[in-house]
Amino acid sequence: MRTRTVRASGEAADFPAVEPITTTEALAAVCERMAAHPFVTVDTEFLRESTYYPLLCVAQMASRDEAVVIDTLAEGIDLAPFYALMANQAVLKVFHAARQDIEIVWHQASLIPQPIFDTQVAAMVLGFGDAISYDQLVQRITGDTLDKSHRFTDWSRRPLTPAQICYAMSDVTHLRDAYLALSEDLARRGRTNWVDEEMEILTSPSTYRADPETAWERLKSRVRKPKELAILIEVAAWREREAQSRDVPRGRVLKDDVIGEIAVQAPTTPERLASLRSLPKGFERSRWGQDILDAIKAGLARDPKTLPPIERSRPLANGSATVELLKVLLRMTAERHGVAAKVIATVDDLEHIAADDEADVRALKGWRRELFGEKALALKHGRLSLAVERGRVVALDRE
């Protein structure tokens, strides 16, 4: 049996129909074969729009010899062989934008796939731009245009269609070509260790632990007083526990901006809670309303000495102008060395550097410091200047 699909270009193409793996026995056999290869490419399809934890629906893998699609929702299938392969230190696991895929494995099996290679990170290190999408990367490396019509399909519905299976398999087969090209380019330009540093972050369990006590760190709310921080910590922790226990997205329980308003306003009675415009009418009379009031009271009762320090921006003469100059230097450095600016330094990094020569930011560590950080400090202190020569920004040593 063969199926026909249409490439994004409109050209018709034939694909052999492939049956997904639906049994533990078949999965164990394919994982044993793939364990004999130095690397496998991996991708997952999941749903998480209505849940706290992502629902793994499909996993696909490819070695140099074969590509398979695993129906992870098949009745009776045990994914232990798949997770064993993910933990196999002798096999490199290749992902694109690996964080969500790794998060799924962490939640399902309490392990981090190792070792790994993220083609999106590698592409940033090699100057393909900030967070390049998979289909754009494949097009630039191979010239192929991927059919992305099933990107937003419901992967939990069964049976899987031949078109869905072909889509899933094409993701991991093209990923082989992308990996081989990127890894070769990294080695040629001496940047393999740059990617290795990024993989250390992606394979750290702390990246994926959803600890209610640290949930506040993900919020962008800027609190200014210890009392506000204490309430922020307690209410964010309550929301995290509630979302986990009910398996619903955090935003279904309470929006981020609402937590920030609660921290600043610190309502301690149902009446004051009801006065917050960000909460729906009658919320204060619900069980959640009382839970929030209890969390607020717990925050107010905390000893300020037990709280983490509130990060305050240091006043700096011409601080914003310094940051703007650092942005120019960053852009110039990124273009000169063919590296995405975002992977060298963030705006937050630049603000910290402008305020503190010893700032604890990645831009002042490792290869980033050598490439950019030292020049940033030199520019800040007048040992380096920027000029325009023949229409291009250049750095001039003033010492």
Side-chain angles (χ1 to χ4, degrees):
M1 173 182 172
R2 301 182 70 85
T3 61
R4 287 180 71 80
T5 188
V6 178
R7 298 188 189 277
S9 62
E11 175 188 357
D14 289 323
F15 290 95
V18 177
E19 293 297 323
I21 292 175
T22 58
T23 68
T24 306
E25 182 181 20
L27 177 60
V30 75
C31 288
E32 182 178 1
R33 293 195 300 273
M34 290 195 172
H37 291 266
F39 76 89
V40 295
T41 55
V42 188
D43 191 24
T44 62
E45 310 297 344
F46 55 88
L47 296 179
R48 70 178 312 163
E49 288 79 8
S50 60
T51 60
Y52 179 90
Y53 299 105
L55 173 65
L56 178 59
C57 301
V58 171
Q60 53 265 44
M61 301 188 297
S63 67
R64 285 180 177 269
D65 293 343
E66 64 181 319
V68 297
V69 173
I70 307 163
D71 181 356
T72 58
L73 299 181
E75 185 176 355
I77 192 169
D78 184 349
L79 299 180
F82 171 73
Y83 295 129
L85 181 61
M86 293 300 98
N88 188 332
Q89 293 284 339
V91 182
L92 179 70
K93 273 68 68 174
V94 179
F95 299 88
H96 182 83
R99 183 178 289 253
Q100 287 188 311
D101 300 303
I102 294 175
E103 180 189 3
I104 290 174
V105 176
W106 169 256
H107 170 61
Q108 297 279 345
S110 298
L111 65 87
I112 301 291
Q114 291 195 50
I116 69 165
F117 183 97
D118 190 325
T119 55
Q120 187 178 71
V121 173
M124 291 172 68
V125 166
L126 292 170
F128 282 77
D130 294 343
I132 187 171
S133 68
Y134 176 63
D135 51 329
Q136 290 173 333
L137 179 63
V138 168
Q139 200 281 328
R140 289 181 60 176
I141 289 179
T142 70
D144 293 338
T145 300
L146 298 183
D147 177 7
K148 304 301 289 183
S149 59
H150 289 279
R151 180 181 297 178
F152 301 110
T153 193
D154 183 353
W155 289 97
S156 66
R157 298 187 65 178
R158 293 297 182 271
L160 294 169
T161 67
Q164 284 179 308
I165 295 171
C166 287
Y167 168 91
M169 289 186 65
S170 70
D171 272 355
V172 285
T173 53
H174 284 89
L175 192 54
R176 292 182 302 203
D177 298 329
Y179 162 68
L180 292 170
L182 292 170
S183 59
E184 180 182 346
D185 198 3
L186 287 168
R188 183 172 61 251
R189 297 167 68 175
R191 297 183 181 180
T192 301
N193 65 312
W194 295 13
V195 174
D196 291 342
E197 287 185 25
E198 298 303 304
M199 297 307 99
E200 290 179 10
I201 297 173
L202 282 172
T203 54
S204 171
S206 62
T207 302
Y208 306 98
R209 288 195 184 105
D211 183 358
E213 301 309 315
T214 59
W216 66 276
E217 295 176 356
R218 287 191 296 268
L219 301 176
K220 295 181 179 180
S221 177
R222 293 187 177 273
V223 293
R224 296 175 174 82
K225 302 175 183 178
K227 178 189 73 172
E228 296 173 356
L229 177 59
I231 295 173
L232 188 79
I233 292 173
E234 293 292 339
V235 176
W238 167 80
R239 181 184 70 166
E240 199 75 14
R241 289 190 294 268
E242 190 69 24
Q244 290 174 352
S245 66
R246 300 182 64 227
D247 194 18
V248 296
R250 298 179 184 94
R252 292 271 186 95
V253 179
L254 210 61
K255 301 290 186 185
D256 288 359
D257 57 343
V258 179
I259 297 179
E261 184 180 3
I262 290 172
V264 173
Q265 297 298 326
T268 56
T269 65
E271 292 74 23
R272 290 196 58 191
L273 188 64
S275 69
L276 300 184
R277 293 183 178 181
S278 56
L279 288 175
K281 187 176 181 180
F283 186 90
E284 74 283 357
R285 296 191 298 273
S286 69
R287 176 178 63 82
W288 283 2
Q290 186 56 52
D291 287 346
I292 290 175
L293 291 173
D294 291 341
I296 294 169
K297 291 175 183 177
L300 293 173
R302 290 187 64 151
D303 182 352
K305 295 179 181 178
T306 67
L307 298 173
I310 297 176
E311 187 174 313
R312 303 183 189 278
S313 58
R314 299 183 182 182
L316 181 70
N318 298 318
S320 58
T322 302
V323 172
E324 291 305 314
L325 280 174
L326 292 175
K327 287 180 180 178
V328 175
L329 178 65
L330 175 61
R331 205 156 45 239
M332 182 198 77
T333 303
E335 291 174 357
R336 177 183 175 186
H337 293 279
V339 185
K342 182 179 178 180
V343 83
I344 300 174
T346 64
V347 174
D348 191 52
D349 288 344
L350 302 184
E351 291 175 349
H352 280 81
I353 293 171
D356 182 3
D357 287 2
E358 304 296 328
D360 184 19
V361 295
R362 292 198 298 164
L364 292 181
K365 299 175 183 177
W367 65 267
R368 292 178 177 84
R369 185 181 185 103
E370 182 180 345
L371 195 72
F372 170 76
E374 290 291 351
K375 295 182 180 64
L377 295 174
L379 178 63
K380 173 184 171 182
H381 292 289
R383 300 191 300 272
L384 192 75
S385 63
L386 300 178
V388 177
E389 291 185 356
R390 298 178 181 179
R392 297 188 64 181
V393 177
V394 295
L396 303 176
D397 193 340
R398 299 182 62 182
E399 293 185 331

